[in-house]
Each structure stands twice: as structure tokens, then as C-alpha cells.
Amino acid sequence: MATKVISKLPASEPPAGPAIAVRNLRVKYGEREILHGINFEIAAGETLVILGGSGSGKSTLLRTLVGLERPSGGEIWMRGKNFAAMTGYEHDELRKRLGMSFQGGALFGSMSVADNVALPLREHTELDESTIEIMVRLKLDQVGLSGFDNYMPAQLSGGMKKRAAIARAMAMDPEILFFDEPSAGLDPIIAAGIDELILKLKKAFRMTIVVVTHELASAFLIGDRMILLDKGVIVANGTPQELQASTQPRVRQFLDRVPEPELSEEMDYLQMLTGETPPLRR
């Protein structure tokens, strides 16, 4: 007869209403404002894809949503509380409900795969070691890394490192799972495997997922809804089908991969330096 493992992780009721509600969110680095009062909601169980070019603010938004950056203004509502206003113990407790898979994996090179996955459990729970070992094996099996417990990160391929990072992000059974460029640096076949894994996890655990990516094929496969950021503001918010049908110039430029005109870039640069709009060249 199988032994039932009783976890000491705190019980979690599914949140009522949106999983995340962002209200007039602003983020500054020094005097430079990166996010300019953005608003959106993420439904519980939804996969939201955050799109945007370099410098659009998508990475800053992700870091703010997981509590790695403090907003200069606005609100981030989770579990009926304003996460942006929390400090100390309350802030740390809510962050335990969130899982984050970083772009490069961010695995500790001196620790085995199993120890990397076990780290959040050892740091934030009072589970005994035998239970942690069982949970680690379960998480590795869920991401297709069964049997790789004792491997070191340097012994893994790029795709395997991504999977190990996902297993660690899931260690605390988060309500919301965040991904930063999950397909970056992978060949198309391995990237497709990561996309399928994200879809599998969503179906199996019915969790809310937030993905930052610039890979359009991946975005349209895994996303229930998308937002497109441009220079710190949201220029589109809708389903994949709605974005595909959009005639908004900035949306079309991004989806159709149309480069910026060189003249426009030169003029913007000169205007930034001088504060004046240079005359058009003929």
C-alpha cells in the first residue's frame, strides 16, 4: 500500500477574481521612468504572454510582478492585497506563492540538479529531508528530467537546464508561474519541447502562467491572451487572434518584423541630445 506523503506547505485556496490586477503601475530607474502607468488583469488559470521589443519595459514589468523591483507608483493586486505596497514578512510570504523561471536558468553551478530544486523547500518549509527528496523527484519527473538528480548544471544541455529551472520554480507549488524568455538560446526543436511542457503544466495544474518572450511562434502557441508593450505603455491587449487581426501600426510593425526607419532613429537621437527637432533631409 502506498504511503501518503503529507506536505507541511500551507494550504492555498484558489484566489477569487483576477489572479493579478495591475493598476496605473509606474516604475523608475533614477529619474528615468520605464513603465508609464499601465493597467491590465490576468485571469486565474490564464496564460498571459508579454511581448515587446528591446527597451519596451517587458523585463522590468516581469521583475516588478515577482517583487524583484519596487514600483514608484500604482498597485499590483494579488490574493486581495496590494503586493506593491507590501513590505517585510507579508511581502515575503506572498512571494512564496510565485514561481520564477529565469532566462538563463540561474541554476547554482556548485549544486546538483536535485539540490537546486530542493533549495526553496529547504529555505522556506519545515519538511523533513526524506519528504523533500520525494518532492524533488516528482518535480523532475514532471519536467522530463527523471534520473538526472545527481547531475551538475554544467553536464546538462541548454534545454535540460531550462527544464531544471522550471522544476525549481515549481518546487513550492506556486499559484502563478513566471517565465522569462523560456525559448531563448534554444534550437527550434528544443524550444518546441519547452512550449509543450508549459502547455502540459498548465493543463495538469491549472495554474496561472505569465511569459515574457519575443518568440512569436511560441507566444501564439502558448498564450491565451497577449499584451504588447512599447516604450513603457501597453499598445495592444487581446487574444492571439485579436492581435493577428489588429491594424494598429505599432502592432503590425512588431508582428510583421518591420524595422525602424534609419532616418527616424537618427532624428530621435539628435532630438534627445539637443532637445530640438532637426529639419527633415531632402
Side-chain angles (χ1 to χ4, degrees):
M1 181 176 178
T3 302
K4 183 178 180 181
V5 178
I6 301 177
S7 170
K8 295 181 183 177
L9 291 175
S12 172
E13 294 296 327
I20 301 177
V22 175
R23 302 283 183 259
N24 196 32
L25 184 65
R26 297 179 180 275
V27 178
K28 286 184 178 181
Y29 294 149
E31 293 301 314
R32 184 187 176 201
E33 188 171 80
I34 307 299
L35 299 178
H36 310 301
I38 63 175
N39 297 273
F40 64 94
E41 292 184 353
I42 306 173
E46 179 179 53
T47 297
L48 177 77
V49 175
I50 302 173
L51 295 167
S54 298
S56 63
K58 62 183 188 297
S59 294
T60 296
L61 174 57
L62 181 67
R63 290 175 59 83
T64 306
L65 291 177
V66 299
L68 297 177
E69 298 287 350
R70 301 294 292 182
S72 55
E75 302 169 340
I76 303 172
W77 289 91
M78 299 182 189
R79 298 179 65 87
K81 297 181 179 179
N82 181 12
F83 186 41
M86 291 180 183
T87 57
Y89 175 81
E90 190 177 29
H91 183 267
D92 293 341
E93 285 300 299
L94 184 51
R95 283 187 64 184
K96 293 176 186 177
R97 305 286 186 186
L98 313 178
M100 175 72 179
S101 177
F102 295 91
Q103 180 174 341
L107 300 174
F108 292 97
S110 60
M111 299 168 62
S112 69
V113 169
D115 285 337
N116 267 281
V117 177
L119 184 61
L121 297 168
R122 290 171 177 156
E123 290 290 321
H124 300 300
T125 76
E126 297 178 357
L127 293 167
D128 58 67
E129 194 61 27
S130 61
T131 302
I132 289 176
E133 289 176 3
I134 292 171
M135 293 183 71
V136 167
R137 287 199 295 271
L138 287 173
K139 298 306 177 187
L140 289 176
D141 182 60
Q142 287 165 0
V143 301
L145 286 182
S146 181
F148 289 88
D149 314 44
N150 297 319
Y151 278 60
M152 303 300 285
Q155 297 174 299
L156 302 180
S157 67
M160 293 168 74
K161 288 178 182 177
K162 298 272 189 179
R163 290 174 179 268
I166 294 171
R168 184 178 62 185
M170 293 181 57
M172 297 281 288
D173 293 323
E175 293 175 9
I176 307 173
L177 190 57
F178 295 86
F179 291 89
D180 185 11
E181 299 285 3
S183 303
L186 303 178
D187 69 54
I189 296 175
I190 302 299
I194 297 297
D195 292 340
E196 289 298 327
L197 175 59
I198 293 173
L199 290 170
K200 170 187 165 185
L201 294 175
K202 178 188 174 179
K203 181 178 180 180
F205 299 101
R206 300 180 181 177
M207 64 177 61
T208 304
I209 296 175
V210 182
V211 181
V212 164
T213 185
H214 65 275
E215 300 284 349
L216 292 180
S218 174
F220 281 99
L221 175 65
I222 65 177
D224 297 315
R225 195 162 50 83
M226 303 174 171
I227 62 174
L228 177 60
L229 280 175
D230 183 49
K231 298 177 182 177
V233 299
I234 295 176
V235 296
N237 182 344
T239 65
Q241 295 77 16
E242 288 170 339
L243 259 71
Q244 284 280 32
S246 174
T247 58
Q248 209 267 9
R250 206 61 178 164
V251 176
R252 293 267 43 99
Q253 182 182 27
F254 185 82
L255 297 183
D256 298 338
R257 302 180 66 191
V258 178
E260 294 279 6
E262 292 184 10
L263 178 57
S264 175
E265 292 180 353
E266 292 173 9
M267 292 177 66
D268 289 344
Y269 181 68
L270 288 172
Q271 186 173 5
M272 180 182 69
L273 292 178
T274 65
E276 299 178 356
T277 303
L280 288 173
R281 291 185 296 190
R282 298 186 183 275

